[in-house]
Every structure is written in C-alpha cells, then in structure tokens.
Amino acid sequence: MPALAAPALDPLTTPVAVLDAAGTLRTCNAAFARWLGVGARRLHGAALTALDADARLGAALARIVAGESAPLRVRRVRLRYPDTDDRFADVWLSADDDGGALLEAHPVDEFPGDDPALLLPSALAASLKGLAHELRNPLAGLKGAAQLLGRRIDPRDADTRDLIDLIDDEIARLTGLVDRLLNPAPPRVHAPLNIHAVLERVLRLAEHDAGWAVRLLRDYDPSLPEFDGDSDRLTQAVWNLVRNAIEAGAGQVTLRTRVEHGLRIGEAVHPIALRLEIIDDGHGVPEALAEQLFLPLVSGRAEGSGLGLALAQQVAREHRGSLAYRSRPGHTVFTLLLPMRAGAAA
C-alpha cells in the first residue's frame, strides 16, 4: 500500500498512522491524534517505542519491514503519548510501498467482557460460610498465642513488640472478615482515608512476608486527596493482590497511584477517581483461568484458597469501583478504580 498523506487519511474515522521502517511516525490522521489526545504536529516524528507502552508492536513491525505481506494483528495494545492517559486498541499493521507500515488502531475497552462476579453461583455462599466457620477456632488460637508471647518478651524490645502488635491487628481484621462472612451486616459507614497510608500498611505486611526476596516499589501521586472509604477493607483487598503477585514468582512489585478525571466505571462517569495499579513481573495469569479468575475457590496454585481475588472484587464494589487486570508472562497489572467525591480534588 503506498504511503498516504495526512489529507488523504483525515476523512477516515479509524485512527491511522504511517510509520517508516525504523518505527518513526511519518504522519497520521486527525482521528489518530484525537484518540491519543494530542496534536498531530506533536506526533510527527514520534517513535513507536515511545507510544507503545508495553513494547508489543516492535516484533510485528519488524516482520512487516522484512517483507511479510499479510497484515498482522496485535490484540489489546496499550498506546499513550507522554502525559496523556492510556488508550487501548486492537492494532493492524500492513506494509506500504515505501518500506514502512500503515498502522490502524481499532479502539477497545481497557477491560473487556462480562463482570465475572455476576456469574457467581448462589451455592458458593454456603461453601464460604462453612469455610469461615472452620477458620474461627484457628484464629482464636492464634490470638491467644500472640497474647502469651507478648507477655514473655522484654518490654525494651521495641521491634518484637511492633511485630506482635502487627499480628494482633491482622488477627482482629481477619476475625472481623470471618464474622462478616458468617453474619453479613450492612457495610460500615465510610470515613475519610489516605490511600497511601493503606498502601504503606500493605507494604509492611509484604516486607515481613517476602523479606528480601521481592523488591517493593512505590510510585505514588502526591496530589491524591483523601476520600471516603473503609481502610480495613481496602487493606485486605490490596494485600490479597500483592500477596498473589508474590506467590506468582514476582521479583518486583510496584504500587502505583494516579488521579483520573472524567473516568467511566460501569455505567457512571465520575469527575474524579483513583487509579491504583499493582504491577508485577511474575509468571502472569494462566490462560485457562482468565475467564473465572474472580470467582471464589478458583486458584492457579494447588495450595491456594481462591478467595483473595473474589474478596478484592467485592471490596471494589463496596466502594462503587471496579477491579480488572491485564497479564502476560513477566508483566501483570491489576487495576483498582475507585470514584472520589468531586469536592475532594480541592
């Protein structure tokens, strides 16, 4: 296909760009620039490697430049220009007569498909209650053991006292979770919280759980305001996600927070929202589990309970948000989207 000038591309409603053999953007149509949220002039000369957030198009472009004539499709590519929001598309690459490639982006939702939580069979509720009942006695034993241990330590040993206090706090939180499974009650009234305080609590748990085996990174947006929520429930949800990453063989886990404006969650558009990403370099989500991942009792590990992601999904719902993911070996991102009050931005 011959290279097209921008005026010839502009009537097309599909985002289209023309690349040279090195992956430099020669031109694009107005739809492509609008879709990325940046002016067409700024895109001229941009490198594909700078736009392709997950570096998934380079291999396809190399095949096209090497002479492969059939168009190549790369599903669910994440594209972005610096300082703009992520865009997702199924991308087609085809050869042009100048030795480069024509890129067509067909926008798609970030997280496709039906909400798996809606597929939950009602019979599983009874199974969860049975499991909760079985957990009560071990938790009571752990609490008693922690109290005995606390009486035996040297009062001057502050580090050990901190660890015992952490054990007490976690036993109390898990006991509350079991009680809610056995005796569902209306959600607690949400109170103002700092999401970074929640994440620091999770990171402390992760440091004690994984030790030096996993590198834990922070990528926080300091402009995030406080918002109303349940800090205990959010701690549980994020800890489940971080622990899953560790158990999936991750050597590095990053907690990333950002403010989103005009974000759609389900059918509602929220003026301001939190995007919390848990990013890891582990084995990724097995393809066989992709469609049932958020269902209770579904786990990729023989020793796993399969409850962590189902609970995290429920916590997202309690906060009128959503939880979804994208995954490939070496790069998995779980994204928690939570709306915040419009006035919180102040």
Side-chain angles (χ1 to χ4, degrees):
M1 180 181 294
L4 300 176
L9 296 173
D10 277 341
L12 301 176
T13 57
T14 300
V16 177
V18 179
L19 306 169
D20 65 17
T24 301
L25 194 145
R26 298 206 311 260
T27 187
C28 67
N29 65 352
F32 189 88
R34 281 196 305 270
W35 178 61
L36 281 184
V38 63
R41 289 186 179 181
R42 292 175 64 191
L43 286 171
H44 180 74
L48 181 62
T49 52
L51 302 177
D52 180 11
D54 295 323
R56 299 182 57 210
L57 294 176
L61 178 63
R63 288 171 59 184
I64 291 294
V65 171
E68 188 154 339
S69 58
L72 298 178
R73 182 183 186 183
V74 184
R75 294 179 179 274
R76 205 154 301 283
V77 175
R78 181 163 61 111
L79 296 170
R80 67 177 175 206
Y81 192 82
D83 302 323
T84 66
D85 294 335
D86 291 342
R87 301 289 188 266
F88 292 82
D90 288 344
V91 170
W92 287 91
L93 289 171
S94 54
D96 68 15
D97 290 343
D98 293 331
L102 184 70
L103 182 154
E104 296 180 36
H106 297 269
V108 296
D109 292 335
E110 179 176 357
F111 303 114
D114 296 329
D115 188 340
L118 300 178
L119 306 176
L120 175 63
S122 59
L124 284 176
S127 301
L128 292 176
K129 283 196 172 185
L131 178 62
H133 182 76
E134 293 297 323
L135 288 173
R136 296 187 84 169
N137 288 338
L139 285 172
L142 288 171
K143 182 175 182 180
Q147 289 173 343
L148 288 174
L149 187 60
R151 294 180 191 141
R152 296 179 181 178
I153 67 167
D154 188 333
R156 295 168 295 181
D157 189 349
D159 289 341
T160 303
R161 168 54 60 188
D162 285 345
L163 289 176
I164 291 176
D165 289 343
L166 178 63
I167 293 171
D168 281 336
D169 290 344
E170 289 304 296
I171 290 172
R173 185 170 57 80
L174 291 174
T175 301
L177 172 62
V178 167
D179 289 342
R180 281 195 293 273
L181 284 173
L182 289 172
N183 303 294
R188 291 190 298 182
V189 175
H190 288 182
L193 63 86
N194 182 327
I195 191 61
H196 296 142
V198 169
L199 300 186
E200 287 302 307
R201 184 176 176 187
V202 170
L203 287 171
R204 189 179 178 203
L205 291 170
E207 286 166 356
H208 289 300
D209 187 73
W212 297 101
V214 178
R215 188 181 180 200
L216 302 168
L217 302 180
R218 300 162 175 84
D219 183 4
Y220 294 165
D221 181 348
S223 71
L224 268 170
E226 288 191 341
F227 64 97
D228 291 341
D230 185 331
S231 61
D232 283 347
R233 296 285 280 168
L234 286 171
T235 297
Q236 180 68 59
V238 179
W239 171 226
N240 288 349
L241 297 171
V242 171
R243 184 170 52 195
N244 277 359
I246 293 171
E247 292 172 348
Q252 178 172 296
V253 179
T254 302
L255 300 185
R256 182 177 186 266
T257 60
R258 292 293 185 271
V259 171
E260 295 273 353
H261 297 278
L263 184 69
R264 177 180 292 277
I265 303 176
E267 298 300 319
V269 176
H270 301 277
I272 180 172
L274 162 70
R275 175 184 286 266
L276 167 59
E277 294 181 329
I278 295 89
I279 308 165
D280 74 78
D281 60 357
H283 306 315
V285 175
E287 265 189 57
L289 298 182
E291 294 183 3
Q292 296 87 27
L293 191 63
F294 291 105
L295 294 179
L297 310 183
V298 173
S299 175
R301 295 177 296 108
E303 70 278 13
S305 68
L307 296 175
L309 290 178
L311 188 143
Q313 178 81 285
Q314 177 60 32
V315 172
R317 289 178 168 280
E318 292 169 6
H319 290 77
R320 298 180 299 122
S322 69
L323 174 66
Y325 78 96
R326 55 183 178 272
S327 179
R328 56 182 169 81
H331 186 76
T332 296
V333 182
F334 277 85
T335 301
L336 182 64
L337 302 175
L338 301 178
M340 298 187 285
R341 290 180 295 107

